[in-house]
Amino acid sequence: MINFSAFLGAATMYTRYKIVEKQNQTSYFSTPVFNLVSLVLGLVGCIGMGIVANFQELAVPVVHDGGALLAFVCGVVYTLLQSIISYKSCPQWNSLSTCRIRMAISAVSSAADYVYHVVGIYQYKCYKL
């Protein structure tokens, strides 16, 4: 099920990439490299989701945790970059409320990612995994 979710996430990210690319051709608001970096990081995050799905936590914990790290970090950076692109394309392509909602999701994701790393480091130190 997570593999299918990773595939759908990748398809959604590619669709968003093509939409922003077309909008940027109409009215230049951001460098195309910014959009491409966002796509690559998003796809790497989806690959991380696939790794998490295919390597069990108890059987291969290092690989599973590496995939989770990829998924979380790249996913958070993807949402941050998409929020910045949204603000740059405001008000022609996005409303200010949409930009604020995306930034709020990015902030919550960043906070959750921070907690994930702190707890992970604590876990490895305490339980010597």
Side-chain angles (χ1 to χ4, degrees):
M1 194 61 145
I2 295 176
N3 281 325
F4 187 64
S5 297
F7 172 75
L8 290 178
T12 302
M13 290 172 188
Y14 181 72
T15 303
R16 170 75 177 157
Y17 167 77
K18 294 305 276 183
I19 289 170
V20 170
E21 182 181 54
K22 198 57 123 175
Q23 290 172 342
N24 206 20
Q25 289 174 354
T26 305
S27 60
Y28 185 80
F29 55 84
S30 177
T31 61
V33 174
F34 199 61
N35 192 25
L36 182 63
V37 168
S38 176
L39 173 67
V40 169
L41 285 172
L43 293 178
V44 169
C46 290
I47 290 169
M49 283 178 62
I51 291 170
V52 167
N54 291 304
F55 293 93
Q56 294 178 355
E57 184 177 11
L58 297 177
V60 194
V62 173
V63 178
H64 181 88
D65 291 345
L69 182 71
L70 276 177
F72 279 118
V73 171
C74 291
V76 167
V77 174
Y78 174 81
T79 60
L80 287 169
L81 290 175
Q82 286 299 314
S83 298
I84 292 168
I85 289 172
S86 293
Y87 272 107
K88 288 185 175 213
S89 66
C90 187
Q92 186 173 3
W93 299 107
N94 294 302
S95 66
L96 189 58
S97 61
T98 300
C99 296
R100 289 180 177 160
I101 289 170
R102 285 183 178 156
M103 191 54 77
I105 291 170
S106 297
V108 169
S109 299
S110 297
D113 192 42
Y114 176 76
V115 169
Y116 165 78
H117 290 300
V118 169
V119 169
I121 291 168
Y122 177 75
Q123 171 190 357
Y124 279 107
K125 283 184 179 181
C126 287
Y127 300 108
K128 300 190 183 359
L129 296 175

